């Protein structure tokens, strides 16, 4: 791990580990395997492990340990893991979406930017199985690989101050579901009536990195058939 990674201090209470070798898929697997190893090792003083696409933030209590000690512990954890992973088989989530209109106000602009029709945007977005790569803000938003659009999607020139929960957004070559009402600068293609988070549960989200999402277009008239239902995994 050390030979194929950059380890650097991040403020006075964290280090960041960035994977350097291999393709994007390999780097993602490396940092998530290391995150599993660190959590399994229960390193003294370490209280937060945040893996993303190709890097990992390790947060610690500077009153209990320091950067050098955490670096050594991370290297030992990486050596003990030997690149393996305890991640379970991915779960698949099927998400109904009302595309366009009031729920997807940026669909026409995205279609124009991509040089395709609105229907083709929907077909491409709903035709792909998208992998969750990490959990982002706010509160466990599933940050996914984007659908195979012809080119990256620009962010909004003027971010919104309020994006409704369940909004389906894209930017660059990424996709996301907004779990809670919050500001946002990603173009909105649609919205799901499902409840993405369970704020009453210790595990706020039913998904984790490595799980998969597939989006299914529904008509606005069927919104109430799904409204308030929890997001659950589908098998088979």
């Amino acid at each position: 791990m050390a030979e194929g990674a950059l380890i650097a201090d991040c403020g006075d209470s964290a280090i960041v580990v960035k994977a350097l070798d291999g393709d994007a898929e390999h780097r993602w697997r490396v940092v998530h395997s290391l995150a599993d190893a660190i959590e399994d090792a229960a390193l003294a003083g370490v209280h937060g492990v945040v893996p993303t696409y190709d890097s990992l933030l390790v947060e610690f209590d500077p009153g209990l340990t320091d950067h050098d000690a955490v670096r050594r512990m991370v290297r030992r954890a990486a050596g003990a893991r030997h690149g393996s992973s305890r991640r379970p088989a991915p779960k698949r989530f099927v998400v109904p979406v009302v595309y366009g209109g009031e729920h997807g106000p940026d669909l026409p602009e995205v279609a124009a930017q991509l040089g395709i029709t609105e229907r083709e945007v929907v077909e491409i977005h709903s035709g792909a199985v998208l992998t969750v790569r990490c959990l982002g803000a706010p509160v466990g938003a599933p940050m996914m690989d984007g659908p195979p659009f012809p080119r990256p999607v620009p962010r909004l020139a003027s971010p919104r101050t309020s994006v409704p929960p369940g909004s389906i957004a894209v930017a660059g070559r990424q996709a996301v579901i907004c779990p809670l009402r919050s500001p946002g600068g990603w173009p909105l293609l649609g919205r799901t009536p499902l409840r993405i988070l369970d704020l009453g549960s210790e595990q706020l989200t039913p998904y984790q990195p490595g799980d998969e999402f597939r989006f299914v277009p529904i008509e606005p008239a069927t919104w109430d058939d799904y409204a308030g239902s929890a997001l659950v995994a589908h098998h088979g």
Side-chain angles (χ1 to χ4, degrees):
M1 177 71 193
E3 293 78 8
L6 174 67
I7 304 179
D9 295 350
C10 186
D12 60 1
S13 59
I15 66 168
V16 64
V17 183
K18 184 175 180 63
L20 302 176
D21 291 344
D23 60 14
E25 182 71 21
H26 175 76
R27 294 192 296 272
W28 178 79
R29 292 187 179 279
V30 165
V31 297
H32 284 264
S33 176
L34 180 57
D36 292 342
I38 294 170
E39 290 179 350
D40 285 349
L43 304 178
V46 172
H47 60 75
V49 182
V50 185
T52 61
Y53 286 82
D54 62 0
S55 60
L56 175 73
L57 183 71
V58 183
E59 300 172 303
F60 60 87
D61 184 340
L64 299 176
T65 186
D66 59 29
H67 291 91
D68 290 339
V70 173
R71 285 170 183 262
R72 290 193 296 271
M73 290 188 289
V74 167
R75 289 191 177 98
R76 284 199 299 270
R81 178 60 60 176
H82 293 300
S84 65
S85 176
R86 60 175 169 81
R87 306 202 69 80
K91 300 188 292 293
R92 173 75 60 88
F93 296 89
V94 178
V95 182
V97 179
V98 176
Y99 286 93
E102 64 176 314
H103 296 306
D106 301 315
L107 178 59
E109 182 179 358
V110 169
Q113 290 168 336
L114 295 176
I116 58 180
T117 66
E118 294 178 32
R119 180 172 182 175
E120 286 173 320
V121 172
V122 172
E123 288 175 347
I124 294 171
H125 186 270
S126 61
V129 175
L130 306 181
T131 299
V132 179
R133 295 301 180 178
C134 61
L135 304 185
V139 195
M143 307 294 295
M144 293 171 266
D145 293 332
F149 290 137
R151 62 184 65 91
V153 177
R155 297 192 182 203
L156 300 177
S158 298
R160 292 181 170 89
T161 58
S162 179
V163 174
S167 291
I168 308 298
V170 292
R173 295 206 179 272
Q174 295 176 278
V176 74
I177 306 176
C178 305
L180 292 175
R181 184 174 295 277
S182 60
W186 290 29
L188 305 181
L189 301 184
R191 189 181 176 204
T192 179
L194 296 184
R195 177 166 44 85
I196 303 302
L197 298 181
D198 183 355
L199 297 178
S201 172
E202 183 176 345
Q203 183 176 351
L204 293 176
T205 68
Y207 50 82
Q208 63 180 354
D211 289 340
E212 300 171 339
F213 279 74
R214 184 170 67 84
F215 298 94
V216 177
I218 62 172
E219 294 298 322
T222 65
W223 179 276
D224 288 343
D225 296 342
Y226 302 92
S229 297
L231 176 69
V232 295
H234 290 244
H235 302 281

